[in-house]
Amino acid sequence: MRVASFLLTAVALVASVHGAIVPSKRATVCNGHAELCNRSYGNVTFLGAHDSFAFSDDPLALARDQEVDIPSQLGLGVRLLQAQAHVNDGVLHFCHTSCLLFDGGTVEDYLNKVHDFLTANPNEVLTLLFTNPEGASLPDLWDPPFQASGIADLAYVPPSIPVKQSDWPTLGELIDSGKRVIVFLDAGADTDRSVPYILPEFEMVWETPFSVTDPTFPCSVDRISGPLGTTDHMYMINHSLNKNVFDSGIIVSDPLDAPTTNSVSSIVANAAGCEQFAAGRAPNFVLLDFVNIGHGLDAVNQLNGLA
């Protein structure tokens, strides 16, 4: 018995020492760059696709804001997908203003495509930023497609809300934990915390104005919520240019000017104009229309100090 006890103790000690000296596997490349692994999520700039679901290669489809589909957007380096949801026959769809105008399909189908990308790319951190203009129920309408697609299993839940810009985990930590999807909702998650991985956007992220028609993109803090101060928020620049059709008040995206709008010089200038509101920091998210046009990823790499 003493021999057996001694052997068991020895095995336990060896296992303990072995566990102490063998490090767990850690991500060495994060979102395509080793330099980003030790950088806080709150201190990284990500390329975003505005109305990511609203894609069409038909130039007469005035409600489109993208030309290429979700897998193509992700392949171009987009790491924030933005979309607007509406209830259509009791099911949550991504639609542009109205599902009669542009119906991008169900949220579940969309998230299945996102999950396919994440499965094939295990070292990528992705942000989903969705709008909820009809106040759709989080537990009844939002949570089910996240659960069915498997995205809920990958979603990060902070220890407390709100999270200061400086307090987010690093990209490497998010990847190593398996919780590498950050989900923000513009309305509803601030008052309903029943789905903990769906985070209230404006408590942690402020935005510049949207539907911009001025190509100089003057910066201001347009939407924000407390209790954190402005500089403790992350922030997103809505860098998409629009046209007022025949001065009618109808605003549509402007693909003809997209090569200039999505140029490095235009994006970097917009970011520089916003640094005064963010203690000199670059934006966390650069939201573009027509991400396949111009050099959005080059601009984001420059803002991340990678170019």
Side-chain angles (χ1 to χ4, degrees), residues 50 65-66 239-242 253-254 258 262 287-291:
H50 172 235
D65 284 322
Q66 302 295 337
H239 194 83
S240 53
L241 189 64
N242 299 270
S253 56
D254 182 9
N262 294 353
L287 197 66
L288 303 180
D289 287 336
F290 308 110
V291 294

Side-chain angles (χ1 to χ4, degrees), residues 50 82-84 129-133 185-187 200-212 219-226 228-230 233-240 287:
H50 172 235
Q82 189 268 352
Q84 180 183 120
L129 195 162
F130 298 149
T131 68
N132 190 26
L185 196 65
D186 74 329
E201 177 194 0
F202 295 120
E203 290 186 15
M204 290 172 278
V205 181
W206 62 262
E207 293 190 21
T208 62
F210 60 97
S211 298
V212 177
C219 187
S220 62
V221 179
D222 187 54
R223 288 175 290 173
I224 189 172
S225 179
L228 296 179
T230 304
H233 281 65
M234 297 185 289
Y235 73 102
M236 180 171 75
I237 57 173
N238 286 298
H239 194 83
S240 53
L287 197 66

